[in-house]
Amino acid sequence: MSSWKKAAKATQKTHQERHQPESRKHLGLLQKKKDYIARAKDYHEKQQTLTLLRKRALNKNPDEFYYHMINSKIERGVHKEKKKKNDYTPEQIQLMETQDIRYVAHKRNIEAKKINKLQSELHMIDAANETKNKHIFFVDDVDEIRNFDIVKKLDTHPALISRRTNRPKLSRLKDMKLPELDESSLKQLEREKQMAYKELRKRVDRERELTIVQQKLEVQRALKDRKITKPKLVSKETKDAAPIYKWKYERKR
């Protein structure tokens, strides 16, 4: 490339697309070329997909048959495989269902133990301090009410008055040796505490979900018992609760 062409290219001005005029600002942002290209590309991809599906529908043989047509079904809009009843005996099916319940119960117990451990470490101090509560003091006369000082009554530092927990007295504060912490260390401690509370919330939710799953499995197993009278449905199953059935009371000899 010659030197004059390089110089012309170096001095070439880069033209930018104009913005939306003030009089048309109420119509929103002005579409740029890159936005148009992305929208056009997406439109053409969808058109190609529709064309391909239309071709497949036209070329489909109406007399075509394959076994998956009768070995599957649609439940609530979801395609599911039909279970083959001849693969397992009733005793094997009952054993597998019992193992499923035991596995869910085992996982739930693990979560419950971890929740108890986290609660014992955190002590839920923040939740206790945020809970509104009343502390009633009894006095003998009106003069004592006028001269009442809550700091002297509780014998603690004024900064600790709002606490409901971990509120030591002045005598203990003098003997306590507190570590010297800078601002970064305090922020790190606060961050770790928030992460611990977040983990606790997640484990509580998981333990509740496992409890619901266990209850649903136990109800399903109870309904398959043909020796007892069919129960009456009290409330339907939901995502947050297992179904409730009422069985007829039968006195056992």
Side-chain angles (χ1 to χ4, degrees):
M1 186 182 289
S2 59
S3 59
W4 66 271
K5 284 186 178 179
K6 288 181 180 178
K9 190 172 183 181
T11 58
Q12 188 176 0
K13 186 178 179 181
T14 303
H15 294 279
Q16 296 183 354
E17 295 180 88
R18 67 186 180 92
H19 59 81
Q20 183 74 288
E22 291 290 335
S23 60
R24 295 175 59 84
K25 264 193 174 180
H26 65 280
L27 299 174
L29 295 173
L30 183 66
Q31 180 179 249
K32 303 296 189 292
K33 187 176 180 180
K34 61 178 182 179
D35 302 326
Y36 165 75
I37 291 172
R39 188 165 57 84
K41 184 180 178 182
D42 179 64
Y43 172 77
H44 288 303
E45 286 178 355
K46 289 177 180 176
Q47 290 298 318
Q48 289 172 4
T49 305
L50 289 172
T51 305
L52 179 64
L53 293 173
R54 197 175 290 111
K55 274 186 183 178
R56 288 180 181 175
L58 291 172
N59 294 331
K60 187 177 180 181
N61 182 6
D63 298 327
E64 183 181 1
F65 172 80
Y66 54 98
Y67 282 101
H68 197 250
M69 291 179 176
I70 59 174
N71 291 336
S72 63
K73 61 180 179 179
I74 296 177
E75 290 182 1
R76 298 178 182 178
V78 181
H79 210 83
K80 292 185 179 180
E81 299 289 333
K82 287 185 178 178
K83 295 179 181 178
K84 297 179 181 179
K85 296 182 180 179
N86 298 328
D87 290 350
Y88 305 100
T89 62
E91 291 79 11
Q92 290 173 339
I93 293 172
Q94 187 177 4
L95 178 62
M96 286 189 290
E97 289 174 350
T98 305
Q99 288 176 346
D100 290 342
I101 295 174
R102 286 178 181 173
Y103 176 76
V104 173
H106 172 65
K107 285 291 183 183
R108 186 177 64 82
N109 289 332
I110 291 174
E111 292 295 331
K113 288 179 181 178
K114 289 180 178 178
I115 288 169
N116 291 332
K117 185 179 178 182
L118 280 170
Q119 286 178 340
S120 63
E121 292 173 355
L122 293 171
H123 300 294
M124 308 302 287
I125 294 174
D126 291 344
N129 288 329
E130 289 174 3
T131 305
K132 292 183 179 180
N133 198 6
K134 293 181 179 179
H135 196 142
I136 300 173
F137 295 95
F138 295 94
V139 294
D140 297 329
D141 51 22
V142 179
D143 294 334
E144 192 174 350
I145 295 174
R146 291 173 183 170
N147 301 324
F148 185 78
D149 189 356
I150 191 170
V151 176
K152 291 181 180 179
K153 186 72 175 177
L154 295 176
D155 189 22
T156 186
H157 194 273
L160 305 177
I161 290 296
S162 60
R163 289 191 178 184
R164 290 186 58 210
T165 59
N166 194 15
R167 188 170 57 199
K169 294 186 176 182
L170 289 173
S171 56
R172 287 194 60 192
L173 284 172
K174 291 176 183 177
D175 299 333
M176 289 172 66
K177 294 181 179 179
L178 300 175
E180 295 182 1
L181 297 173
D182 54 358
E183 190 174 351
S184 61
S185 300
L186 291 172
K187 287 182 179 179
Q188 180 64 23
L189 289 171
E190 181 66 23
R191 198 179 300 114
E192 290 176 359
K193 184 181 72 172
Q194 294 300 329
M195 288 175 64
Y197 274 114
K198 189 175 181 181
E199 182 185 357
L200 178 62
R201 284 193 295 269
K202 286 183 178 179
R203 292 199 178 277
V204 169
D205 292 340
R206 179 168 172 76
E207 197 267 340
R208 187 179 69 252
E209 292 290 336
L210 289 170
T211 303
I212 294 169
V213 172
Q214 182 182 353
Q215 290 172 352
K216 288 181 179 180
L217 289 173
E218 288 173 350
V219 170
Q220 289 176 7
R221 186 178 64 175
L223 291 172
K224 290 180 180 178
D225 191 357
R226 297 182 179 179
K227 296 180 181 178
I228 59 176
T229 311
K230 189 176 179 181
K232 181 183 178 182
L233 179 63
V234 177
S235 65
K236 293 183 180 180
E237 175 183 340
T238 62
K239 64 178 182 179
D240 298 325
I244 299 175
Y245 287 87
K246 185 177 180 181
W247 273 266
K248 185 180 179 182
Y249 176 74
E250 294 181 359
R251 184 182 176 191
K252 305 212 172 171
R253 296 181 181 178

